Amino acid sequence: MATQERKPLLLDFEKPLVELEARIKQIRELAEENDVDVSEQIRQLEARAVQLRQEIFTGLSPSQRLQLARHPRRPSTLDYVQAISDEWIELHGDRSGSDDPALVAGVGRLAGRPVVMLGHQKGRDTKDNVARNFGMASPGGYRKAIRLMEHANRFGMPIITFIDTPGAWAGVEAEKQGQGEAIAYNLREMFRFDVPILCTVIGEGGSGGALGIGVGDRLLMLEHAVYTVATPEACAAILWKDSAKAPQAAEALKITAWDLKNLGILDRIIPEPIGGAHSEPLKAAATLKQALLDDLAQLDALTSEQRRELRYQKFRNIGVFLEASA
């Protein structure tokens, strides 16, 4: 049976670029059919395509970056783990009768060094997303995460987390199972660990669901990732009773990597390939791996006491502001 070629998912702001690339392809095919030399015209159009791609992806609005962060083809936690680790074994279960597929965790090696890597896992399509609960972890997921992190701390292995969730699962069943307690427990315990902790927002970092694995010595973000206290849609519905005002909320919430860097919350912005991480996933993974190794080397130079103090002060200073007197 012939396989049907999978068409790339197209975002609205990408349409001018795709139309130009289609035009270049059409001109090239017509020139080959008619044996006409149009190489100069094609070079000019290709140069324009490169320029247009640069213009589009360097001038994105917060709501457009949110679209990229949610792109179904964007690399997930498992994609990055497989790309950057020498070997990795996924471990399951919270030892309380639950295993949450929305949060994956395991032990592996990064540049030959034993580490624990874990993160939220979204699906590729509707069926996969339903199985993964759209990356919204349950209490069992956060308990599985802390079990693996305690293992890492016991055996001196750095902890690397990947954040990609619209938020923790907010269902009634999650509340019955102690969602708030599970996240709060993780927050408290991550502050006391001796080993280095590196947290990276790879896609969408939402609310307490992100913070449940987000307390670390370093917070990194991919260039087109977002990190927010609530989704822009939820914020718009709360403030204006109109989710259509989500772009306005996205602007006000300061959700982009550049906003968070300016606010002192973020430690490092990891550049993505032009077109987003999904356009060249292996290149994006290589850049992420190097950033992790660089920061890990810096943290290795500190004592466990210095790392704990650094971690505490980092979060203690978030939200601190001064009011000018009248």
Side-chain angles (χ1 to χ4, degrees):
M1 181 184 294
T3 58
Q4 185 177 9
E5 184 179 354
R6 186 174 63 182
K7 295 181 180 179
L9 296 174
L10 190 62
L11 301 176
D12 289 341
F13 56 84
E14 293 179 301
K15 287 180 179 177
L17 177 62
V18 172
E19 290 170 357
L20 179 56
E21 290 175 340
R23 183 182 170 194
I24 293 171
K25 182 180 179 181
Q26 184 181 30
I27 292 173
R28 182 179 283 112
E29 289 174 351
L30 287 172
E32 290 176 355
E33 289 175 4
N34 296 281
D35 197 21
V36 178
D37 183 12
V38 291
S39 55
E40 183 59 33
Q41 290 88 335
I42 289 177
R43 275 197 296 270
Q44 291 175 1
L45 288 173
E46 288 177 338
R48 172 57 187 152
V50 171
Q51 181 184 4
L52 182 59
R53 182 181 292 273
Q54 187 76 26
E55 290 172 357
I56 289 174
F57 286 94
T58 55
L60 295 176
S61 67
S63 61
Q64 289 172 331
R65 291 187 190 276
L66 180 60
Q67 290 180 59
L68 273 181
R70 292 173 172 171
H71 198 292
R73 301 282 179 259
R74 191 171 178 85
S76 67
T77 292
L78 288 176
D79 293 326
Y80 283 120
V81 166
Q82 291 167 7
I84 71 175
S85 61
D86 305 328
E87 57 180 322
W88 188 71
I89 302 172
E90 184 176 357
L91 301 177
H92 298 273
D94 65 348
R95 297 300 184 264
S96 297
S98 172
D99 181 46
D100 184 6
L103 203 155
V104 296
V107 295
R109 292 183 185 275
L110 181 66
R113 181 175 183 176
V115 296
V116 162
M117 290 187 277
L118 56 98
H120 303 102
Q121 181 64 34
K122 293 181 178 179
R124 285 284 181 229
D125 51 32
T126 302
K127 183 179 179 180
D128 196 17
N129 260 320
V130 170
R132 298 282 185 181
N133 200 29
F134 296 85
M136 296 183 292
S138 67
Y142 291 105
R143 290 175 182 135
K144 174 170 64 174
I146 201 65
R147 178 176 75 84
L148 267 291
M149 288 190 274
E150 288 171 344
H151 176 87
N153 190 61
R154 186 178 304 116
F155 291 99
M157 294 186 287
I159 299 167
I160 298 172
T161 76
F162 301 104
I163 297 167
D164 187 16
T165 180
W169 181 30
V172 173
E173 195 62 29
E175 296 303 324
K176 288 181 179 178
Q177 294 171 9
Q179 183 72 287
E181 186 274 341
I183 293 174
Y185 183 84
N186 282 22
L187 297 179
R188 185 188 72 187
E189 294 303 296
M190 290 182 80
F191 275 108
R192 73 171 180 82
F193 289 148
D194 295 325
V195 296
I197 306 175
L198 294 171
C199 306
T200 305
V201 185
I202 60 173
E204 184 179 10
S207 193
L211 275 178
I213 58 169
V215 175
D217 308 307
R218 294 279 194 277
L219 176 62
L220 297 77
M221 275 182 72
L222 293 182
E223 181 181 357
H224 298 309
V226 298
Y227 203 16
T228 175
V229 67
T231 64
E233 294 85 356
C235 178
I238 293 168
L239 293 181
W240 301 295
K241 305 296 188 289
D242 184 4
S243 59
K245 292 187 176 180
Q248 183 178 342
E251 188 74 38
L253 282 168
K254 306 298 182 186
I255 64 176
T256 72
W258 308 103
D259 291 326
L260 295 167
K261 181 70 172 175
N262 291 335
L263 290 170
I265 296 172
L266 181 63
D267 295 297
R268 182 196 285 255
I269 299 174
I270 302 173
E272 297 184 28
I274 298 297
H278 64 281
S279 65
E280 296 183 72
L282 291 179
K283 183 177 179 182
T287 306
L288 171 59
K289 180 178 181 179
Q290 189 57 54
L292 291 172
L293 291 174
D294 291 345
D295 275 14
L296 193 54
Q298 294 175 19
L299 293 172
D300 283 338
L302 305 177
T303 64
S304 58
E305 291 80 7
Q306 288 172 325
R307 283 194 295 266
R308 287 198 303 270
E309 181 62 21
L310 176 71
R311 200 177 304 153
Y312 173 79
Q313 291 300 334
K314 174 180 176 56
F315 283 84
R316 189 69 179 86
N317 291 330
I318 291 176
V320 174
F321 63 95
L322 298 174
E323 289 186 353
S325 61

